[in-house]
Amino acid sequence: DPQEQQRVQAHEAAHFVVGYLLGAQICGYSIDARGKPSVEFDERTGPLAGYTTSREALDVLCVISCAGIAGEGQIWDGSNGGAADLEQLAKAVDKSAAATGMSDAQEQLNFARWGVFYAASMLRANKASWDAVRQAMAEGADVCGCIQALEAASVR
């Protein structure tokens, strides 16, 4: 379905752009055997390092994790994707609860809402870059091609 493919590209491009802008190292962009694409970040280095013990790193992980939902929501009424992203975020928050003090379910929900809002703000402010990465992904670009498209669009 072409519209579903556009949704997935918008979703993954949002993760890509937000992660890149926050300084996270992008390890890869791939499509699994079922045709599901994903952007992979290095959680051992850069701003994601130590997210289980650092609130700052957990904040970055939250914004990147929620970026796909924010991206879809800006184009369509809501998000079809994102359940796996929110599940990954919930696991990260649970792992870091002792260090961050975030163990209450309502606090975790508000944290995810904050992440969606922050990511949406970044995408609006960098729409040309997000559009360029969406197009690059649609054309089958690899990580380097997506970064080149993002950087070229941000210079304009």
Short mmCIF file of all heavy atoms in Angstrom, two decimals, residues 51-55 58 91-104 108:
data_model
loop_
_atom_site.label_atom_id
_atom_site.label_comp_id
_atom_site.label_asym_id
_atom_site.label_seq_id
_atom_site.Cartn_x
_atom_site.Cartn_y
_atom_site.Cartn_z
N TYR A 51 22.05 5.74 29.34
CA TYR A 51 20.66 6.15 29.58
C TYR A 51 20.05 5.45 30.79
O TYR A 51 19.05 5.92 31.32
CB TYR A 51 19.79 5.94 28.34
CG TYR A 51 19.53 4.50 27.97
CD1 TYR A 51 18.50 3.78 28.56
CD2 TYR A 51 20.31 3.86 27.02
CE1 TYR A 51 18.26 2.46 28.23
CE2 TYR A 51 20.07 2.54 26.67
CZ TYR A 51 19.05 1.85 27.28
OH TYR A 51 18.82 0.55 26.95
N THR A 52 20.64 4.35 31.26
CA THR A 52 20.09 3.68 32.44
C THR A 52 20.51 4.38 33.73
O THR A 52 19.91 4.13 34.78
CB THR A 52 20.52 2.20 32.50
OG1 THR A 52 21.94 2.14 32.52
CG2 THR A 52 19.96 1.42 31.32
N THR A 53 21.51 5.26 33.64
CA THR A 53 21.97 5.96 34.84
C THR A 53 21.95 7.48 34.71
O THR A 53 22.21 8.17 35.68
CB THR A 53 23.40 5.52 35.20
OG1 THR A 53 24.27 5.79 34.09
CG2 THR A 53 23.46 4.05 35.55
N SER A 54 21.64 7.97 33.53
CA SER A 54 21.67 9.41 33.29
C SER A 54 20.31 9.90 32.79
O SER A 54 19.81 9.43 31.78
CB SER A 54 22.74 9.73 32.24
OG SER A 54 22.55 11.02 31.70
N ARG A 55 19.76 10.86 33.49
CA ARG A 55 18.47 11.44 33.06
C ARG A 55 18.63 12.15 31.73
O ARG A 55 17.74 12.10 30.88
CB ARG A 55 17.93 12.37 34.15
CG ARG A 55 16.62 13.06 33.79
CD ARG A 55 15.51 12.04 33.52
NE ARG A 55 14.34 12.67 32.97
CZ ARG A 55 13.21 12.87 33.64
NH1 ARG A 55 13.10 12.49 34.90
NH2 ARG A 55 12.19 13.45 33.06
N LEU A 58 18.58 9.58 29.04
CA LEU A 58 17.23 9.04 28.93
C LEU A 58 16.31 10.03 28.22
O LEU A 58 15.46 9.63 27.42
CB LEU A 58 16.68 8.69 30.31
CG LEU A 58 15.31 7.99 30.32
CD1 LEU A 58 15.38 6.63 29.62
CD2 LEU A 58 14.82 7.83 31.76
N LYS A 91 10.72 0.07 28.57
CA LYS A 91 11.76 -0.80 29.12
C LYS A 91 12.97 0.01 29.58
O LYS A 91 13.55 -0.26 30.63
CB LYS A 91 12.19 -1.84 28.08
CG LYS A 91 11.15 -2.92 27.84
CD LYS A 91 11.61 -3.90 26.77
CE LYS A 91 10.52 -4.93 26.49
NZ LYS A 91 10.89 -5.83 25.38
N ALA A 92 13.34 1.01 28.78
CA ALA A 92 14.47 1.87 29.16
C ALA A 92 14.16 2.65 30.44
O ALA A 92 15.02 2.77 31.32
CB ALA A 92 14.80 2.83 28.02
N VAL A 93 12.95 3.16 30.54
CA VAL A 93 12.56 3.91 31.74
C VAL A 93 12.58 2.97 32.96
O VAL A 93 13.05 3.34 34.03
CB VAL A 93 11.18 4.58 31.56
CG1 VAL A 93 10.65 5.13 32.88
CG2 VAL A 93 11.27 5.68 30.52
N ASP A 94 12.07 1.75 32.78
CA ASP A 94 12.10 0.78 33.89
C ASP A 94 13.53 0.48 34.32
O ASP A 94 13.81 0.40 35.52
CB ASP A 94 11.39 -0.52 33.49
CG ASP A 94 9.88 -0.37 33.41
OD1 ASP A 94 9.35 0.63 33.95
OD2 ASP A 94 9.23 -1.24 32.81
N LYS A 95 14.43 0.31 33.36
CA LYS A 95 15.85 0.03 33.68
C LYS A 95 16.49 1.19 34.43
O LYS A 95 17.39 0.98 35.23
CB LYS A 95 16.65 -0.21 32.40
CG LYS A 95 16.49 -1.55 31.78
CD LYS A 95 17.42 -1.65 30.57
CE LYS A 95 17.16 -2.88 29.76
NZ LYS A 95 17.99 -2.93 28.54
N SER A 96 16.04 2.39 34.13
CA SER A 96 16.68 3.57 34.71
C SER A 96 15.92 4.13 35.91
O SER A 96 16.31 5.15 36.46
CB SER A 96 16.81 4.66 33.65
OG SER A 96 15.52 5.10 33.27
N ALA A 97 14.84 3.46 36.33
CA ALA A 97 13.99 4.00 37.40
C ALA A 97 14.77 4.31 38.68
O ALA A 97 14.53 5.33 39.31
CB ALA A 97 12.85 3.04 37.71
N ALA A 98 15.71 3.45 39.04
CA ALA A 98 16.47 3.68 40.27
C ALA A 98 17.29 4.96 40.17
O ALA A 98 17.38 5.72 41.14
CB ALA A 98 17.38 2.48 40.55
N ALA A 99 17.88 5.22 39.01
CA ALA A 99 18.73 6.39 38.85
C ALA A 99 17.94 7.67 38.61
O ALA A 99 18.36 8.74 39.04
CB ALA A 99 19.71 6.17 37.69
N THR A 100 16.81 7.55 37.93
CA THR A 100 16.06 8.75 37.55
C THR A 100 14.89 9.04 38.49
O THR A 100 14.33 10.12 38.45
CB THR A 100 15.52 8.63 36.12
OG1 THR A 100 14.61 7.54 36.07
CG2 THR A 100 16.64 8.44 35.12
N GLY A 101 14.51 8.04 39.26
CA GLY A 101 13.38 8.21 40.16
C GLY A 101 12.04 8.21 39.47
O GLY A 101 11.02 8.59 40.05
N MET A 102 12.00 7.78 38.22
CA MET A 102 10.76 7.78 37.46
C MET A 102 10.16 6.37 37.47
O MET A 102 10.49 5.55 36.63
CB MET A 102 11.02 8.22 36.01
CG MET A 102 9.75 8.56 35.30
SD MET A 102 9.97 9.08 33.58
CE MET A 102 11.59 9.71 33.47
N SER A 103 9.29 6.12 38.41
CA SER A 103 8.70 4.78 38.50
C SER A 103 7.17 4.81 38.42
O SER A 103 6.55 3.80 38.16
CB SER A 103 9.13 4.10 39.80
OG SER A 103 8.75 4.91 40.90
N ASP A 104 6.57 5.96 38.61
CA ASP A 104 5.13 6.11 38.58
C ASP A 104 4.62 6.05 37.13
O ASP A 104 5.20 6.67 36.23
CB ASP A 104 4.76 7.46 39.21
CG ASP A 104 3.29 7.75 39.15
OD1 ASP A 104 2.53 7.12 39.91
OD2 ASP A 104 2.90 8.60 38.34
N GLN A 108 5.62 8.33 33.78
CA GLN A 108 6.15 7.75 32.55
C GLN A 108 5.32 8.18 31.34
O GLN A 108 5.86 8.47 30.28
CB GLN A 108 6.22 6.23 32.66
CG GLN A 108 7.28 5.76 33.63
CD GLN A 108 7.35 4.26 33.76
OE1 GLN A 108 6.78 3.53 32.96
NE2 GLN A 108 8.05 3.79 34.78
#
